[in-house]
Amino acid sequence: MASVQANGITIEYEEQGAGEPLLLVMGLGGQLIDWPPDLIQLLVDNGFRVIWFDNRDAGLSTELVDQAPPTRRQLAKTLVFKRPLDAAYLLGDMAADAAGLLEALDIDRAHVVGMSMGGMIAQQMAIDHPRRVSSLTSIMSTTGNPKVGRPKAKVVLRGLRRPEPTPETAVDQGVELFRDISGPTFDEQKFRELFQADLERSWRPHGTARNFAAILASPDRTEALRRIDVPTLVIHGLLDSLVKPSGGIATAEAIPGSRLLLFNDMGHDLPHTRLREIADAITTNAARAGVGAER
């Protein structure tokens, strides 16, 4: 792993492979080690230089310790009742981080793939930094329109009932959450090992709260998405209870010429049984960028 200075912060990243650059953007509370190694290898085998990184306030990238995190009560009021929320930064700032990482690595353009919050950041990157984005893939994400992609009520209620996590309870709580939101291929032991590795590498619950605030405080992207002019693929699971499929459908409807891929055995996760299909779909979408460049 390595790090660079970009957009005023330190960004921890890793890369593998050669060929056209492809940037992976992680979701809320995730770290770069959470990307499935098999997916990364498939993308490398498909001819990409794959780059993946820790978002600000996550993993080993800069933690904004001087910015007070919102309380769980404040986040819940904003999520449920749409109350205004002061955020330390917005998704646009996180998109600027990703664009800054490419600049620091002397990469003019990359295929950008984001999942969950990472999909929102990837969308914002295509809006704010279009010259940096060759193609866009948005996975299990949404547009920022509060009417679509909302979590199911039972997921919200269970989240509110869980006590504040501690280093001693974080792994069990992570497993419990993903048992609720994953599809039928959920592997408890695999997730337990992953969350334990996350905990040993970095423990930043306040950073996750600030990331969540950035999601809730950022504006609806729907109208801006209509201006995106790069090949776009939207992937979503029909069993997703954290970001309901309406979020992915709305994303595909907003972006001209986008393609929508729905899996009936996928929740808010990346099923190991679908990784090759996902990698190949990303590759096919990236190949369309040549046509877009000529146009």
Side-chain angles (χ1 to χ4, degrees):
M1 296 182 190
S3 63
V4 296
Q5 298 296 310
N7 198 31
I9 64 171
T10 300
I11 299 179
E12 189 81 7
Y13 75 96
E14 190 163 353
E15 64 175 293
Q16 183 179 342
E20 294 187 48
L22 186 149
L23 184 70
L24 298 175
V25 190
M26 179 45 66
L28 176 66
Q31 301 184 43
L32 63 79
I33 62 173
D34 295 341
W35 283 103
D38 289 347
L39 176 61
I40 292 171
Q41 189 59 56
L42 286 165
L43 292 169
V44 169
D45 292 344
N46 282 0
F48 293 106
R49 173 189 175 187
V50 183
I51 302 145
W52 62 110
F53 67 102
D54 287 327
N55 286 310
R56 61 167 64 192
D57 262 336
L60 302 181
S61 290
T62 293
E63 183 178 16
L64 302 179
V65 293
D66 58 335
Q67 304 285 343
T71 65
R72 181 181 292 190
R73 186 179 183 86
Q74 288 173 319
L75 293 171
K77 284 183 177 180
T78 300
L79 181 64
V80 177
F81 302 111
K82 303 179 180 61
R83 299 281 180 85
L85 179 68
D86 289 330
Y89 48 82
L90 300 177
L91 292 174
D93 299 297
M94 302 182 79
D97 294 342
L101 172 60
L102 294 181
E103 182 178 6
L105 297 178
D106 292 323
I107 296 172
D108 292 332
R109 297 170 66 87
H111 303 287
V112 181
V113 177
M115 68 173 179
S116 195
M117 180 187 73
M120 304 173 197
I121 296 170
Q123 293 170 25
Q124 195 67 52
M125 192 175 171
I127 293 165
D128 294 345
H129 310 274
R131 295 184 179 180
R132 292 283 182 191
V133 180
S134 297
S135 72
L136 170 65
T137 300
S138 179
I139 305 173
M140 61 179 98
S141 194
T142 186
T143 63
N145 179 348
K147 296 181 180 180
V148 299
R150 293 182 62 81
K152 289 188 175 179
K154 66 178 182 180
V155 172
V156 176
L157 290 174
R158 286 176 183 173
L160 292 174
R161 289 169 182 163
R162 291 189 184 99
E164 293 287 346
T166 67
E168 292 72 31
T169 63
V171 173
D172 286 339
Q173 286 196 16
V175 170
E176 182 181 340
L177 170 63
F178 272 83
R179 185 187 295 114
D180 287 345
I181 64 176
S182 294
T185 64
F186 173 75
D187 184 331
E188 178 170 334
Q189 184 57 35
K190 187 174 182 179
F191 271 92
R192 186 170 296 278
E193 292 171 357
L194 180 59
F195 289 135
Q196 184 63 44
D198 281 340
L199 179 63
E200 292 172 3
R201 183 171 182 263
S202 176
W203 165 245
R204 294 184 176 178
H206 289 172
T208 300
R210 284 188 289 267
N211 278 187
F212 194 11
I215 295 173
L216 297 178
S218 293
D220 183 353
R221 293 176 297 283
T222 303
E223 289 306 312
L225 291 173
R226 302 192 196 284
R227 300 194 301 269
I228 290 179
D229 188 28
V230 296
T232 299
L233 170 68
V234 178
I235 300 175
H236 218 103
L238 290 172
L239 302 180
D240 195 334
S241 58
L242 186 64
V243 180
K244 286 192 287 191
S246 60
I249 293 168
T251 303
E253 289 176 343
I255 302 176
S258 63
R259 297 180 178 181
L260 178 63
L261 177 59
L262 299 172
F263 290 119
N264 61 9
D265 58 350
M266 175 176 164
H268 200 75
D269 59 345
L270 294 173
H272 65 88
T273 54
R274 296 291 190 176
L275 292 183
R276 177 165 292 281
E277 289 171 88
I278 291 171
D280 288 347
I282 291 170
T283 303
T284 299
N285 184 62
R288 297 168 58 205
V291 176
E294 290 173 8
R295 184 176 69 250

